[in-house]
Amino acid sequence: MEQPKDNGTEHHDRDHGPGREAAAGTAGDFAEHLKRLGYGPGSIRILPRLVMEFLERSGKMPAETGPRDIMDHYLHLQERPHRRRPGGLSGAYIAQHTYALRLFFAWQLQQGRTDTDPTGGLDFPRPDRTERKVPTREEVRQLHGAAEDHRERAVLAIFYGCGLRRSEGERLRTGDIHFATGLLHVREGKGGKRRAVPMGRNVAEDLRAYISGTAATGEGPLIRGRDGNGMKGGSMNRLVKGLAQRSGIKGDITLHVLRHAIATHLLEGGLSVEHVRDFLGHAHLESTQIYTHIGRDMLWDL
């Protein structure tokens, strides 16, 4: 990711307006806002710098900024040379600028510091990238319908219904499933963090049916192979791929794709980004926001 380098020598097109000190103060307030929202350290460092670059260059206070100023800056970025290597800015880096401005002016509007959001009616082209392809709600139903035993349905319940990571599913114990409270407990998620994941009714039923048909003890692995030992992530991945093949679904269906799918369906079903972040065990908000542009399917309780 390209990062702006501020060495104090950058030329700005205008000498009037808020000035460097005022722009820095506004950018600092914006950084605090991002921190309160739960953004990661990288975003808290970089996004305010991009806003500060805009404010210094435009020479206007936020309340004076209009759509034409935003577009002028966007066109400027198309031609601005890279500060640390030959050539111009990448499409991804320019998109990061526009993302920063959208966040900033939405916050300014929320705070009552502007009457309108100057980015609201603007549509910037997205940089070329490979879109995440996740199964639709109907395709998840097809996967479930293709399951031939309780273990296959339990794997879908864990990785789609509860959105677990591959490593979390490998470490899951029978005693981590609490039917009385409707919660699945992840003892050690990414970064060593614990969390409790709510189970939908159908998810709980599939897990109950699987557990009742095994001799697993509370501390024993939940998903076990035919040898009775805990099933590894690679084996569970092959199980899911087999389900996809039997159901006739095109595309590469993996445990990680199932996690992407539940995130997408929850967001499109109306759950807030913050709640989906907690459900998935993400440390920072932007990790969850990658799902917001995918699909339009409503959540289906597997």
Side-chain angles (χ1 to χ4, degrees), residues 30 34 43 46-52 93-107 119:
F30 181 48
L34 295 176
S43 296
I46 295 169
L47 297 181
R49 291 185 186 178
L50 304 184
V51 169
M52 183 173 172
Y93 188 53
I94 293 173
Q96 192 176 28
H97 273 266
T98 59
Y99 174 67
L101 292 177
R102 287 192 189 281
L103 280 178
F104 173 73
F105 281 105
W107 170 61
T119 70

Side-chain angles (χ1 to χ4, degrees), residues 110-289:
Q110 183 184 35
Q111 294 294 305
R113 297 173 184 173
T114 62
D115 294 328
T116 60
D117 179 353
T119 70
L122 301 178
D123 185 21
F124 302 104
R126 289 180 178 174
D128 293 335
R129 65 180 177 183
T130 302
E131 293 286 346
R132 288 183 194 273
K133 177 64 172 70
V134 299
T136 64
R137 179 181 67 174
E138 181 55 37
E139 286 174 328
V140 173
R141 281 184 175 161
Q142 288 177 236
L143 287 173
H144 192 264
E148 296 176 344
D149 56 40
H150 292 312
R151 182 177 63 175
E152 291 181 339
R153 284 186 281 273
V155 168
L156 287 176
I158 290 168
F159 293 101
Y160 174 77
C162 296
L164 266 59
R165 298 179 176 93
R166 172 172 165 163
S167 60
E168 294 169 346
E170 285 182 324
R171 292 194 291 263
L172 198 63
R173 299 289 184 242
T174 304
D176 296 331
I177 313 299
H178 296 269
F179 294 109
T181 60
L183 295 174
L184 179 153
H185 290 268
V186 178
R187 302 190 192 196
E188 188 178 350
K190 191 173 181 180
K193 295 183 178 180
R194 300 171 61 96
R195 73 181 187 279
V197 180
M199 297 183 294
R201 176 176 51 82
N202 294 336
V203 168
E205 287 179 2
D206 281 343
L207 290 177
R208 190 190 298 275
Y210 171 68
I211 291 173
S212 65
T214 69
T217 62
E219 290 302 311
L222 177 66
I223 305 297
R224 298 181 299 161
R226 300 190 187 283
D227 60 1
N229 295 320
M231 184 177 278
K232 298 299 183 183
S235 297
M236 288 188 275
N237 233 2
R238 288 189 290 275
L239 181 152
V240 168
K241 287 178 180 289
L243 281 176
Q245 187 174 19
R246 293 204 302 268
S247 66
I249 295 175
K250 304 297 183 183
D252 188 24
I253 305 298
T254 66
L255 302 179
H256 201 52
V257 167
L258 291 177
R259 178 171 157 88
H260 289 329
I262 188 60
T264 301
H265 298 166
L266 285 169
L267 287 166
E268 297 301 336
L271 197 63
S272 71
V273 175
E274 291 83 2
H275 283 120
V276 176
R277 175 188 61 185
D278 294 339
F279 178 85
L280 296 174
H282 283 158
H284 303 300
L285 197 63
E286 60 267 44
S287 299
T288 310
Q289 288 177 326

